[in-house]
Amino acid sequence: MPQIDNIKNILVVATEEGEGERSSALTYGLSLAAQADARLVIHSGSVPLNVPHSRSSAIVGQLVAEENARLRQLTERVAEETRRAAALAGVTCVVEAPQLSYAELRDRILAEARVSDLIVLDADPSVITIDGGLLRKLIFASGRPSIVVPKGFREFRCRRIIVAWDGSEPAARAVSAAMPFLRAAELVEIVCYLGEKDLTRSAPGADIAVALGRHGVNAVVKELPAGRDIGESLREQAGLSHADLIVMGAFARSSLVEWLFGGVTQSMLADSKTPLMMDH
């Protein structure tokens, strides 16, 4: 097991919108906290159903109350199961399972995120679900790095890491935030796309590889043509390299523009089979 340094406060966000599939972020975050000897804070909150007509209809009001009670029971059960799992793993863990309006839940989670070293989230390609909206808000507005975990990915690993490097400010911040994992990795592959951007004024892949080498990171550079969809190419490269983690800058353009017109960030959030570490 590699030594993970300087990650001491991890926030896992796993809100509940229904029964669904069990959160991968919970088990992944617990695995990471155990390896990093970090404190874990888990938000397993829910947003209550609010139907205006329920106030004028006893039947609708009862149905709404029953659904909100079901959501509370679900979040409380997840919280209790997580506490037990953390105790068995020897991880210091605090679990919050509030039922709040979306705005209140968002603000509480953002406040916690800003005093954390890292945020762990479940992947959700949608921008209209509660989870999808929170995911993008945390990546874009928390000021902290995030790891987005695909469904079914349960254990943190960082043996092989891909860094998507374009010389941009978000990419530089992502590399800096990922340094504890890069130092622990056996191999870091820096992927650059030739022709995708004008890199004459930014650090090319060779320069960042040398800089990482001074930190003891075993890094190699792979240059790929930019004539195809970058997101698709990154996903393919992650599969070929058996990558445990992809490190990349997020939302080089605004999140709204990314959603409306597409982009590498949106493409990766929608369909990555490998955990994504992102920073904006």
Side-chain angles (χ1 to χ4, degrees), residues 36-142:
D37 191 23
R39 175 179 180 268
L40 197 61
V41 175
I42 293 174
H43 265 276
S44 178
S46 63
V47 175
L49 184 63
N50 184 12
V51 180
H53 295 298
S54 65
R55 297 175 183 174
S56 58
S57 168
I59 295 176
V60 174
Q62 182 179 352
L63 291 174
V64 169
E66 289 174 354
E67 173 61 13
N68 289 336
R70 185 190 69 84
L71 285 174
R72 276 196 301 272
Q73 291 171 1
L74 178 60
T75 56
E76 288 167 2
R77 185 174 75 242
V78 169
E80 184 56 35
E81 290 173 355
T82 304
R83 287 189 190 98
R84 288 200 297 266
L88 288 172
V91 172
T92 300
C93 180
V94 176
V95 183
E96 296 193 18
Q99 189 168 65
L100 301 169
S101 70
Y102 175 77
E104 291 171 322
L105 186 65
R106 177 201 63 207
D107 290 346
R108 179 182 282 193
I109 292 174
L110 272 173
E112 186 67 47
R114 287 170 180 153
V115 296
S116 301
D117 298 321
L118 182 67
I119 310 163
V120 179
L121 304 146
D122 283 303
D124 190 326
S126 175
V127 296
I128 60 174
T129 63
I130 293 168
D131 288 333
L134 276 174
L135 180 150
R136 284 157 179 78
K137 190 69 175 177
L138 286 164
I139 291 173
F140 194 61
S142 69

Side-chain angles (χ1 to χ4, degrees), residues 32-265:
L32 171 54
Q35 293 184 46
D37 191 23
R39 175 179 180 268
L40 197 61
V41 175
I42 293 174
H43 265 276
S44 178
S46 63
V47 175
L49 184 63
N50 184 12
V51 180
H53 295 298
S54 65
R55 297 175 183 174
S56 58
S57 168
I59 295 176
V60 174
Q62 182 179 352
L63 291 174
V64 169
E66 289 174 354
E67 173 61 13
N68 289 336
R70 185 190 69 84
L71 285 174
R72 276 196 301 272
Q73 291 171 1
L74 178 60
T75 56
E76 288 167 2
R77 185 174 75 242
V78 169
E80 184 56 35
E81 290 173 355
T82 304
R83 287 189 190 98
R84 288 200 297 266
L88 288 172
V91 172
T92 300
C93 180
V94 176
V95 183
E96 296 193 18
Q99 189 168 65
L100 301 169
S101 70
Y102 175 77
E104 291 171 322
L105 186 65
R106 177 201 63 207
D107 290 346
R108 179 182 282 193
I109 292 174
L110 272 173
E112 186 67 47
R114 287 170 180 153
V115 296
S116 301
D117 298 321
L118 182 67
I119 310 163
V120 179
L121 304 146
D122 283 303
D124 190 326
S126 175
V127 296
I128 60 174
T129 63
I130 293 168
D131 288 333
L134 276 174
L135 180 150
R136 284 157 179 78
K137 190 69 175 177
L138 286 164
I139 291 173
F140 194 61
S142 69
R144 308 306 296 161
S146 302
I147 295 182
V148 182
V149 186
K151 287 182 179 178
F153 212 104
R154 303 291 181 179
E155 182 184 0
F156 171 79
R157 297 190 298 270
C158 64
R159 188 176 63 87
R160 301 178 70 91
I161 298 177
I162 282 181
V163 173
W165 181 254
D166 62 0
S168 66
E169 291 179 18
R173 283 192 288 270
V175 168
S176 178
M179 195 62 74
F181 306 134
L182 300 177
R183 283 195 294 260
E186 293 179 9
L187 180 65
V188 174
E189 190 173 283
I190 300 167
V191 176
C192 300
Y193 287 92
L194 300 178
E196 197 270 332
K197 287 186 177 181
D198 179 9
L199 297 181
T200 57
R201 298 184 181 179
S202 58
D207 284 357
I208 191 64
V210 170
L212 290 174
R214 296 191 182 103
H215 289 274
V217 176
N218 180 25
V220 298
V221 179
K222 189 173 186 68
E223 296 180 339
L224 298 174
R228 56 182 295 195
D229 180 84
I230 301 299
E232 180 183 346
S233 177
L234 263 179
R235 290 189 291 272
E236 181 181 288
Q237 190 60 36
L240 291 172
S241 301
H242 303 287
D244 300 311
L245 187 67
I246 298 173
V247 175
M248 60 182 290
F251 297 127
R253 298 175 290 182
S254 75
S255 56
L256 178 60
V257 172
E258 283 273 345
W259 175 57
L260 290 173
F261 300 106
V264 177
T265 303

